[in-house]
Amino acid sequence: MTPDCKSGGTPNGRRRLTIPECPPPGVPADLQSAVKKVRPIKTGGFVILPIKHKCIMEYYDNSKRPKKPMTEEQALLKLTTLCTKAEHCSQEMLDKMKKWGLEEEAIARNMEFLTQKKFIDDERFARFFINDKIKYNKWGRRKVEQALWLKHIPKEISDPIFEEIEDDMYTETLLPLMKSKYKSIKAKNDYERSMKLIRFALGRGYSMDVIHKCIDKMKEEDLGDIDFEEDF
């Protein structure tokens, strides 16, 4: 709600809005037009109108007073609460504090506290993230690596975790996806269907080596005539 306006109710429960008869600077043209269409009641330089037009409601519901800047202590409390509910990485904490407008010195102090008290640990975060994305989202290594890169997790942290994962896990995860996808693909011939299947697997972040293994298993199970080009 803007400082120049106020809202209230009437005995019959209808919401009404009181605004200046001459709209203040910044009021959108479509709002001014809507105000004229609702036949407002003019009194003492103000107009009183029922809040029933969508653009009027959206404008005044979103026109709030500027919020007070968040203090260093408030930010730290909010961040520690977030970290107790789920794993977060360092970059996510930095992005939030910058969004809240904290000074660089305050950000550094909060980051030091969060790190020392183990509220954030990028290696721990990466381990949970990799496990969840492979196991539940059915992503391949390449897609998970890209997501970690966006979160500024260095390869020095993520690579050793990836190396702990058995190759068979990627195959076991991708094979059911490819079987299901193969049956639903529409194509003119088997070759086109196979190429679409390969692109699907690549889009999930799997390497050609893993895709090769799944293709071979599908051939062994006689799930279809898969025309696979070795140099694809």
Side-chain angles (χ1 to χ4, degrees):
M1 192 68 63
T2 61
D4 300 313
C5 315
K6 59 182 179 179
S7 63
T10 59
N12 60 9
R14 295 181 64 189
R15 290 180 64 201
R16 290 183 178 274
L17 181 72
T18 303
I19 64 174
E21 187 172 349
C22 296
V27 175
D30 58 345
L31 175 62
Q32 296 184 35
S33 175
V35 169
K36 294 177 182 179
K37 292 179 181 179
V38 297
R39 297 180 181 178
I41 302 171
K42 298 183 179 181
T43 175
F46 284 80
V47 294
I48 303 174
L49 59 145
I51 306 177
K52 62 180 180 178
H53 283 255
K54 183 178 179 181
C55 63
I56 298 176
M57 293 177 67
E58 288 181 349
Y59 179 76
Y60 285 102
D61 284 344
N62 294 329
S63 299
K64 299 177 181 178
R65 290 188 176 92
K67 295 181 179 179
K68 293 182 180 179
M70 189 176 295
T71 66
E72 179 179 340
E73 293 75 16
Q74 288 173 331
L76 183 59
L77 177 60
K78 196 166 186 177
L79 294 176
T80 53
T81 302
L82 287 172
C83 290
T84 58
K85 295 179 179 179
E87 286 289 344
H88 292 278
C89 65
S90 300
Q91 190 61 42
E92 290 174 337
M93 301 293 99
L94 288 170
D95 291 342
K96 287 183 181 297
M97 286 189 281
K98 289 177 181 178
K99 181 180 178 181
W100 297 336
L102 267 67
E103 299 291 337
E104 290 296 329
E105 294 79 5
I107 292 176
R109 286 191 293 269
N110 281 349
M111 287 300 296
E112 183 179 5
F113 178 88
L114 293 171
T115 303
Q116 288 183 349
K117 299 299 182 180
K118 295 296 182 180
F119 280 100
I120 55 173
D121 183 320
D122 284 349
E123 182 178 354
R124 186 181 67 207
F125 169 83
R127 191 172 295 279
F128 276 98
F129 187 88
I130 292 171
N131 178 71
D132 285 352
K133 294 305 178 184
I134 293 176
K135 187 175 180 181
Y136 300 109
N137 293 73
K138 313 298 184 184
W139 288 3
R141 175 169 175 169
R142 291 180 179 178
K143 190 168 183 177
V144 181
E145 285 179 329
Q146 183 180 22
L148 289 173
W149 179 78
L150 292 173
K151 292 182 179 294
H152 297 261
I153 301 296
K155 292 180 71 65
E156 291 77 12
I157 289 178
S158 62
D159 280 353
I161 301 173
F162 280 117
E163 295 305 319
E164 296 174 8
I165 301 173
E166 298 290 339
D167 292 340
D168 289 344
M169 182 174 181
Y170 294 111
T171 306
E172 292 170 2
T173 304
L174 177 60
L175 185 58
L177 296 177
M178 291 184 68
K179 287 180 180 178
S180 176
K181 185 66 177 179
Y182 190 79
K183 296 176 182 177
S184 64
I185 292 176
K186 295 181 180 179
K188 297 178 181 178
N189 50 57
D190 289 333
Y191 177 79
E192 182 181 341
R193 182 180 290 106
S194 300
M195 292 302 99
K196 288 184 176 181
L197 181 64
I198 293 168
R199 285 194 290 270
F200 163 77
L202 289 171
R204 302 288 299 185
Y206 291 92
S207 67
M208 285 303 299
D209 182 55
V210 174
I211 296 172
H212 268 278
K213 292 178 181 178
C214 290
I215 292 281
D216 291 340
K217 286 184 177 294
M218 291 175 69
K219 286 181 177 180
E220 291 173 3
E221 297 176 17
D222 194 25
L223 296 179
D225 296 325
I226 302 178
D227 189 359
F228 181 73
E229 291 288 342
E230 295 293 334
D231 59 349
F232 179 81

